[in-house]
Amino acid sequence: MVESRPFGITADGDPVGLITLRSPSGLELDVTTYGGIVTRLLAPDRDGQLADVVLGHDTLEPYLAGTPYVGAIVGRYGNRIAGGRFTLDGMEYTLAVNDGMHHLHGGERGFDKVVWDAETRSNGVASGSEADVTLTFVSPDGDEGYPGALSVRVTYALTSDAALSIDYEARTDAPTVVNLTHHGYWNLAGHGIGDVLEHELSIAASRFTPVDETMIPTGELRSVEGTPLDFRDPTAVGSRIETRDQQLGFGGGYDHNFVLDGWKGDGALSPAAVLRDPASGRTMEVLTTEPGLQFFSGNLPDWRTVGKGGAVYGHRTGLCLETQHFPDSPNRPGFPSTVLRPGQTYRSTTVYRFSAG
């Protein structure tokens, strides 16, 4: 089932819609055409009780005022590009710098801050979909410094096996770089129920990309063995987060890209992570076609805002599991490439599958 309704108007006078997808599997999703933001996702616990498991807002205004990318599509390039510069085919491009000295999540006005067009379907066309919505946007040549006009399609689908599937496609008319992801803040206990430190997390990665003090990868692929970043077995998020480890010190907690063991580069889904809230029994399995997963433990000590229903959000009240190519890949030839050329199609899929027990 699909419903659409108005959600407000931007400062430029553009109308924004809110689309609701409902699935017989029990999931219910709200997504707004502003930023492709998932504002609400209901999932059942072990007793069948529904709770909203994503941070968000009831109205458009807080999103317009600015949030730490809560629930949004980020692009053209999710994560950081060092110095806001990269070279492609011998030409250097200068991007917007919005994270200290670096470029982050597409710049000052990335895909999280634009109004997308929407096409909705019940019994959707996505594989196994019970309801879906496709959002489209054309980013012009030179947008935030990126070359080429980029046409983007993102499809959110609720599937028959109690999953949210996100499919990304993009095409360009000139060589460019692309790295799209979803920046949802998850709290499987419910969006207003405390922090996520007791959540149990496993990540299917035996290596990660260590960063310098400005959060840019050094280029090394380092083993997680013997470090606080070893999540190969289910581990409470907060159990090692205060460890005196240089990498955790740089990020104020976890804010690192993990190199997924199952990635083959053939477009097939492989396991990325499993997140579980022991209190409710809610479990979220993450599968992706991407080579990396950025685990951000919501390290926002200065962030305090009122969310849906008057809930107060702040430091570590939600965590992010952003499937992606690696940070700063345009400047790291040894990382999987993020270059997209005319005639090629960028494709990426991530599935968030829910269960409880």
Side-chain angles (χ1 to χ4, degrees):
M1 180 178 177
V2 181
E3 295 178 356
S4 301
R5 60 189 183 276
F7 194 57
I9 299 175
T10 69
D12 295 329
D14 296 319
V16 175
L18 187 71
I19 297 124
T20 298
L21 307 180
R22 295 188 179 92
S23 164
S25 64
L27 300 185
E28 187 169 319
L29 175 82
D30 285 350
V31 57
T32 177
T33 56
Y34 180 78
I37 295 168
V38 172
T39 66
R40 184 179 68 117
L41 198 160
L42 299 182
D45 68 5
R46 62 167 64 91
D47 298 317
Q49 297 298 308
L50 294 174
D52 185 355
V53 297
V54 296
L55 274 57
H57 296 281
D58 293 316
T59 62
L60 178 62
E61 284 70 24
Y63 295 111
L64 296 178
T67 74
Y69 306 96
V70 172
I73 298 168
V74 293
R76 287 188 194 192
Y77 199 96
N79 221 306
R80 295 173 175 89
I81 296 178
R85 295 176 183 271
F86 69 94
T87 299
L88 178 59
D89 295 341
M91 183 172 293
E92 184 177 78
Y93 295 94
T94 301
L95 309 175
V97 172
N98 61 321
D99 183 55
M101 66 184 75
H102 305 306
H103 177 85
L104 176 68
H105 291 335
E108 297 287 350
R109 187 173 181 265
F111 291 175
D112 59 299
K113 297 181 181 69
V114 301
V115 178
W116 297 63
D117 292 326
E119 177 186 352
T120 61
R121 293 172 291 268
S122 294
N123 298 318
V125 298
S127 178
S129 170
E130 296 177 328
D132 61 59
V133 56
T134 295
L135 304 177
T136 60
F137 176 71
V138 178
S139 173
D141 179 34
D143 193 10
E144 296 293 308
Y146 288 97
L150 189 76
S151 300
V152 185
R153 295 172 58 87
V154 179
T155 298
Y156 291 96
L158 296 183
T159 65
S160 55
D161 58 348
L164 165 63
S165 174
I166 309 178
D167 291 294
Y168 309 83
E169 286 190 6
R171 294 178 176 86
T172 184
D173 64 0
T176 193
V177 295
V178 186
N179 189 29
L180 306 178
T181 191
H182 172 67
H183 207 289
Y185 284 75
W186 304 97
N187 186 326
L188 298 186
H191 74 98
I193 312 235
D195 60 44
V196 292
L197 297 180
E198 297 301 317
H199 279 45
E200 296 171 350
L201 176 66
S202 61
I203 300 176
S206 55
R207 296 176 297 169
F208 73 104
T209 53
V211 295
D212 64 19
E213 65 274 11
T214 69
M215 302 306 293
I216 294 297
T218 64
E220 178 187 358
L221 304 183
R222 184 181 298 176
S223 173
V224 300
E225 182 76 35
T227 78
L229 288 93
D230 189 349
F231 284 91
R232 289 174 294 180
D233 294 321
T235 304
V237 168
S239 64
R240 299 175 302 210
I241 203 167
E242 301 299 338
T243 302
R244 290 192 175 183
D245 176 85
Q246 184 184 60
Q247 286 295 305
L248 296 189
F250 288 157
Y254 297 103
D255 190 7
H256 294 79
N257 171 67
F258 288 77
V259 180
L260 297 176
D261 291 337
W263 183 72
K264 306 297 184 189
D266 59 359
L269 287 169
S270 62
V274 178
L275 182 68
R276 182 176 184 271
D277 170 45
S280 67
R282 288 189 190 89
T283 299
M284 182 178 75
E285 180 185 7
V286 184
L287 304 103
T288 188
T289 60
E290 289 294 297
L293 176 81
Q294 185 85 8
F295 168 37
F296 175 55
S297 53
N299 315 312
L300 299 165
D302 298 326
W303 185 55
R304 187 174 175 84
T305 190
V306 177
K308 292 173 290 189
V312 176
Y313 304 149
H315 191 45
R316 296 174 179 159
T317 54
L319 62 82
C320 303
L321 299 170
E322 305 159 63
T323 56
Q324 58 174 21
H325 272 57
F326 304 166
D328 201 32
S329 290
N331 295 311
R332 295 288 177 180
F335 288 177
S337 176
T338 56
V339 174
L340 181 68
R341 298 186 181 278
Q344 298 176 336
T345 301
Y346 168 98
R347 289 189 175 90
S348 176
T349 298
T350 295
V351 173
Y352 302 92
R353 183 175 294 136
F354 294 86
S355 60

